Amino acid sequence: MRNKSSAIAGVGPVLPAGGNGLPWGLLGVAAFSLTLPFTRFVENDAMSPMFVGAGRAVVAGLLAAAALGLTRQKFPRGSQWVRLAAVAGGVVIGFPFLTSYALTTVPAGHGAVVVAMLPAATAVAAVLRGRERPPARFWITASVGAVAALVFASLQSGGFSGLERSDALLFGAVIAAAIGYAEGGLLARELGAWQTISWALVLSMPITIGLTAQSMTDRLPTGTFPEWAAFGYLGVVSMFLGFFAWYRGLGIGPMAQVSQIQLTQPVMTICWAAVILHEHLTWPVVAGGLVVIACAATTVRTRAVRAPDHAAKKDPRVDVENPSPAPSP
């Protein structure tokens, strides 16, 4: 193995906190914004929800295994495997499967409600798991943004007429993704951004391969070229490349702030749904989308303060209030 591999434990954080992770976070959100429309697009009589949910993880897992092998990454150690299992359960298994089944009965616009609640859920998970201490004004602006995003999504989906089975699935997807995002952002500081999602995908492969095979015993998947292209996007970008940018952004942090970039995802998702699926887009929805973007911009400008971690306590060169990495000797 090369001595400079970013996966070597004990040489300090790969993605030290204190920089600006917002551009990377926005790039990841832009990649994820097509996930729900493309999932809805490929789920028909030709592709089952189980195949879409598991098959795209298999595609991403094969790419991840190749990337880890070609770059000769060192294996994670000890508790990192348990944490990777939490990432895998959240973003490789939980979110894709729950949204795949939910979108068989609801439009992609309604599914954008998931994304509307996800930033707040990720921020809470980041605070609980990452020892971040956002000020009160952060929570105020984040709450306003979450409400605005929910109203925006409901305008497009025709409002909420009571909880249904699909809503329960979507809510479960929110919880699963929030846990996977927060834990993945922390692991990205130790293993690297792309290494984290790659190990999670490889760890999930025995399950995803088995579920994919089971889905194909009922009927073999078929589809047109655009449908297979959309499925390819779900596997290559939504499940793999998009996480390169997203986990890098969360790893650089501040995680609670970067997570609020997702407030713009319902806007992008519903616009894509209008273009790809021809779902109805109205002027009130456009206006609501602009409000959501404004709320996201206000939230990310709110400075989050991280609690001192062990590295900061041991190294007096690290400023706890602005934990930029100290220059190497």
Side-chain angles (χ1 to χ4, degrees):
M1 174 183 170
R2 294 174 298 181
N3 292 332
K4 295 183 179 180
S5 172
S6 61
I8 298 178
V11 297
V14 177
L15 298 176
N20 185 8
L22 298 178
W24 289 105
L26 183 59
L27 180 60
V29 166
F32 295 152
S33 67
L34 279 160
T35 300
L36 296 183
F38 277 160
T39 300
R40 176 74 174 176
F41 179 69
V42 301
E43 285 184 351
N44 48 40
D45 293 336
M47 298 187 194
S48 67
M50 181 179 292
F51 175 80
V52 174
R56 67 187 187 184
V58 172
V59 172
L62 293 174
L63 293 174
L68 291 170
L70 290 174
T71 57
R72 302 173 64 186
Q73 296 295 313
K74 190 174 182 179
F75 282 84
R77 297 181 177 181
S79 63
Q80 289 177 335
W81 285 111
V82 178
R83 297 164 64 193
L84 283 169
V87 174
V91 302
V92 179
I93 304 295
F95 188 85
F97 275 87
L98 292 172
T99 54
S100 292
Y101 278 97
L103 290 174
T104 59
T105 56
V106 297
H110 185 89
V113 175
V114 173
V115 184
M117 295 184 292
L118 189 50
T122 304
V124 171
V127 169
L128 295 177
R129 186 65 183 89
R131 300 192 301 273
E132 294 187 2
R133 297 185 303 176
R137 63 183 181 275
F138 170 86
W139 292 111
I140 294 173
T141 54
S143 298
V144 172
V147 172
L150 283 168
V151 172
F152 168 73
S154 65
L155 284 174
Q156 177 63 11
S157 61
F160 300 100
S161 57
L163 290 178
E164 300 177 354
R165 175 176 175 271
S166 59
D167 294 305
L169 294 174
L170 294 173
F171 182 72
V174 169
I175 297 176
I179 295 173
Y181 285 169
E183 196 62 56
L186 293 174
L187 273 173
R189 297 172 183 171
E190 304 171 21
L191 301 176
W194 72 265
Q195 293 93 332
T196 295
I197 187 59
S198 294
W199 284 116
L201 286 163
V202 170
L203 186 63
S204 304
M205 284 192 73
I207 297 175
T208 56
I209 290 176
L211 291 175
T212 302
Q214 181 180 345
S215 71
M216 295 174 67
T217 57
D218 296 331
R219 65 172 186 270
L220 292 176
T222 58
T224 63
F225 176 78
E227 289 169 340
W228 281 112
F231 177 81
Y233 183 95
L234 293 174
V236 177
V237 180
S238 294
M239 287 295 298
F240 191 52
L241 297 180
F243 280 99
F244 287 23
W246 181 239
Y247 277 153
R248 184 174 182 85
L250 290 176
I252 295 173
M255 195 184 301
Q257 271 185 308
V258 174
S259 67
Q260 300 307 294
I261 288 288
Q262 284 184 301
L263 287 170
T264 62
Q265 191 168 333
V267 182
M268 292 185 278
T269 294
I270 292 177
C271 289
W272 283 122
V275 173
I276 298 171
L277 304 174
H278 307 293
E279 295 183 4
H280 191 48
L281 186 64
T282 63
W283 282 111
V285 171
V286 174
L290 295 176
V291 172
V292 171
I293 293 175
C295 290
T298 303
T299 302
V300 299
R301 289 175 64 88
T302 304
R303 185 166 180 257
V305 180
R306 283 180 55 83
D309 54 24
H310 298 297
K313 291 178 181 178
K314 293 179 180 179
D315 192 346
R317 298 176 298 169
V318 178
D319 181 0
V320 174
E321 292 295 316
N322 186 20
S324 301
S328 301

